[in-house]
Amino acid sequence: MSTRFQRTADKSLNQKHAKILKTCLDRPENKYCADCKKKDPRWASWNLGIFVCITCSGTHRSMGTHISRVKSVDLDTWTPEQVENMVLWGNTKANLYWEANLENKRPPE
């Protein structure tokens, strides 16, 4: 069982992380799903550093956690390392890296 202090600290840390993630989502490159380009992604693959829509989050979940680790931007709690990875990457930088060998092809739906 956690103490009141721990719950308060966790709550303030979660609020801090939510604010950072919102700032990330406000960047132009993150306003659209990294995969299908739908507007207003609310999910993220935190190990890949991308924001995705709910449909693409399902695809990422089906890949397995050894490839993509998916969390809700709004509903889940985040660790500092996970938030830091989202700040470090973002959709544009991640797509340049992860889709480098696609040669102007879009991934299939």
Side-chain angles (χ1 to χ4, degrees), residues 18-52:
K19 191 179 290 188
I20 293 169
L21 290 170
K22 184 182 179 330
T23 302
C24 288
L25 281 170
D26 286 342
R27 296 191 327 221
E29 66 268 19
N30 297 331
K31 288 184 181 275
Y32 298 90
C33 175
D35 291 346
C36 72
K37 308 303 181 217
K38 284 184 186 171
K39 193 173 180 177
D40 196 31
R42 304 310 303 165
W43 293 82
S45 173
W46 64 264
N47 65 314
L48 300 178
I50 58 173
F51 292 97
V52 293

Side-chain angles (χ1 to χ4, degrees), residues 5 8 10-11 14 22 25 37 44 50-51 59 65 69-70 88 94 97-98 103-104 107-108:
F5 174 76
T8 305
D10 288 345
K11 186 176 180 180
N14 288 337
K22 184 182 179 330
L25 281 170
K37 308 303 181 217
I50 58 173
F51 292 97
T59 303
T65 57
R69 297 182 180 186
V70 179
L88 177 68
Y97 180 80
W98 297 112
E103 300 173 6
N104 295 324

Side-chain angles (χ1 to χ4, degrees), residues 63-83:
M63 291 180 199
T65 57
H66 63 290
I67 296 174
S68 184
R69 297 182 180 186
V70 179
K71 290 189 121 175
S72 169
V73 173
D74 303 309
L75 304 174
D76 291 320
T77 57
W78 291 67
T79 66
E81 295 79 19
Q82 294 166 344
V83 173

